[in-house]
Amino acid sequence: MRLLHTSDWHLGRSFHRVAMLDAQAEFIGHLVRTVTERAVDAVLVSGDVYDRAVPPLAAVELFDDALHRLADLGVPTVMISGNHDSARRLGVGAGLIDRAGIHLRTEPSAGGTPVVLADAFGDIAFYGLPYLEPALVKDEFGVEKAGHEAVLAAAMDRVRADLAARAPGTRSVVLAHAFVTGGEVSDSERDITVGGVAAVPAGVFDGVDYVALGHLHGCQTITERVRYSGSPLAYSFSETDHRKSMWLVDLAGDGTVTAERLDCPVPRPLARLRGTLDDLLADPALTRHEDAWIEATLTDPVRPADPMARLTDRFPGTLSLVFAPDRAPDDPDVTYARRLAGRTDRQIAEDFVAHVRGAGPDERERAVLGEAFDAVQADAAAREVPR
């Protein structure tokens, strides 16, 4: 069976205030053409269909168009919700849509009940594991402590139990939305850390033939059977070097997996430029970036006059301007933003404690801070669910 693995569409998302809906529509068209041209048997969408729980109407209309076009092809689609989606909203009408061959899996409790498709070699069970917010699903899975590894391991236990009860030789595919150890992150993914730990080991998925992952925006291979497709479009300048693609996966009768990367359309290249303003405006080697979307980091020791206006004269696609004067790290004028770069909310809070009283928090206080941040994250997720 030939599978097309994609994820993280983030319909409705903008790129530094630039609307991406046209580019997202172009990707949907590319996806539909690929299904036909490459004789795809099933489409897998591993979460973050939308960029937020309450997407704009134009994004909902694009999603509706995508569903109709996929259904018209007569090719089954299996789709799960991600951490950006409202699972309950995305899942509305799932039972009806199922009749059209679009199988939406947004309920954690249904993860052990597969969509079963067949080819010439027999059945293939597709298990959809939506994003599992540990604090909200720990009771469902009977785990004592809320954590990503615990709830995902419990969900996979249900998958393996169902698979064991099926006919010998039944192949299996799992869709999951998670941060798996070994994956490389980018700036455009929402943090899902709980208790200081977000990553789960790839071994959690042992026992299935292919795992179609979503969440991380870079296409990457964790193991030959565990892969991220990445997002089809770049959503931050940290993805400048990404090659945006989908996985075309052939699952043989004996469970052997072969995979080919298929490139996605690039609406406009990205470039990160660094140097003094005068150098960026004069360097002939940068001519190739004049039609790109630009993040410019200026290293002038003194902020120059009208930098954005002058940059956009040469680089009309300049969207982000960063000031990083070349100074010694201990220079008192080093910006607050630079001091915080790369630090988590919890680390910033611990630094604040140290600043206020002259000593950092002890282990007990660190635990309290960690529980507070986890509670805020869980509360935000819980308030999103019933809306």
Side-chain angles (χ1 to χ4, degrees):
M1 183 171 285
R2 174 162 285 183
L3 313 174
L4 187 62
H5 168 197
T6 179
S7 72
D8 296 272
W9 295 356
H10 289 277
L11 301 182
R13 186 166 188 156
S14 61
F15 182 82
H16 288 268
R17 300 177 303 282
V18 174
M20 296 291 286
L21 207 64
D22 287 345
Q24 291 168 338
E26 184 180 357
F27 162 70
I28 296 298
H30 169 72
L31 172 72
V32 171
R33 289 191 299 273
T34 300
V35 170
T36 300
E37 293 170 1
R38 299 304 297 267
V40 170
D41 297 307
V43 177
L44 313 179
V45 186
S46 299
D48 281 353
V49 174
Y50 292 122
D51 187 56
R52 56 182 185 266
V54 186
L57 178 59
V60 177
E61 291 173 339
L62 179 56
F63 179 57
D64 181 64
D65 177 63
L67 294 185
H68 277 84
R69 294 172 73 178
L70 288 169
D72 287 345
L73 294 177
V75 175
T77 298
V78 184
M79 182 179 297
I80 62 172
S81 52
N83 62 302
H84 279 249
D85 299 309
S86 168
R88 292 184 65 176
R89 281 192 174 88
L90 185 63
V92 169
L96 185 61
I97 295 171
D98 194 80
R99 300 179 189 177
I102 307 293
H103 307 286
L104 281 167
R105 294 295 180 263
T106 63
E107 290 292 334
S109 60
T113 304
V115 176
V116 180
L117 305 177
D119 63 9
F121 301 99
D123 287 349
I124 303 175
F126 292 81
Y127 298 90
L129 305 183
Y131 171 66
L132 303 175
E133 178 63 44
L136 301 183
V137 302
K138 67 182 183 70
D139 292 338
E140 163 67 31
F141 291 107
V143 298
E144 294 183 4
K145 185 176 181 181
H148 287 281
E149 183 176 352
V151 297
L152 194 51
M156 281 302 302
D157 285 343
R158 294 185 181 183
V159 167
R160 283 185 282 266
D162 179 87
L163 188 59
R166 295 186 177 273
T170 300
R171 287 157 291 159
S172 55
V173 174
V174 166
L175 290 77
H177 196 87
F179 178 18
V180 175
T181 303
E184 295 184 6
V185 302
S186 60
D187 292 344
S188 55
E189 297 130 6
R190 183 182 294 168
D191 181 33
I192 60 172
T193 302
V194 171
V197 178
V200 299
V204 164
F205 299 105
D206 286 350
V208 297
D209 293 303
Y210 184 71
V211 181
L213 292 174
H215 179 56
L216 299 184
H217 288 184
C219 181
Q220 47 201 298
T221 300
I222 305 300
T223 73
E224 287 304 306
R225 296 184 182 275
V226 181
R227 298 172 186 265
Y228 282 100
S229 66
S231 60
L233 296 166
Y235 291 115
S236 74
F237 280 104
S238 66
E239 300 169 56
T240 298
D241 296 328
H242 285 191
R243 174 187 163 196
K244 295 302 183 182
S245 55
M246 303 178 287
W247 285 113
L248 187 69
V249 178
D250 285 322
L251 182 59
D254 63 357
T256 302
V257 170
T258 56
E260 176 187 354
R261 284 183 73 176
L262 304 180
D263 290 334
C264 293
V266 178
R268 196 165 181 174
L270 308 183
R272 280 178 144 172
L273 309 182
R274 183 183 181 92
T276 66
L277 179 59
D278 288 343
D279 286 346
L280 296 184
L281 295 177
D283 189 349
L286 301 182
T287 300
R288 62 192 177 95
H289 297 308
E290 289 179 351
D291 293 326
W293 277 325
I294 300 292
E295 178 185 74
T297 299
L298 300 184
T299 60
D300 302 73
V302 176
R303 185 173 300 204
D306 300 320
M308 181 60 90
R310 294 164 66 187
L311 276 169
T312 53
D313 279 343
R314 182 180 185 188
F315 306 104
T318 302
L319 300 180
S320 176
L321 188 57
V322 180
F323 294 97
D326 283 334
R327 295 172 178 156
D330 57 353
D331 189 314
D333 289 332
V334 171
T335 67
Y336 180 68
R338 288 182 67 190
R339 293 200 302 273
L340 296 186
R343 301 186 68 74
T344 65
D345 290 344
R346 181 173 170 178
Q347 289 171 327
I348 294 169
E350 291 176 2
D351 289 347
F352 176 75
V353 173
H355 173 74
V356 168
R357 73 179 186 194
D362 58 27
E363 288 303 314
R364 184 185 64 81
E365 292 167 333
R366 285 193 181 93
V368 170
L369 285 171
E371 290 170 1
F373 280 110
D374 290 349
V376 169
Q377 181 173 311
D379 180 66
R383 284 186 285 107
E384 188 172 89
V385 167
R387 288 179 188 170

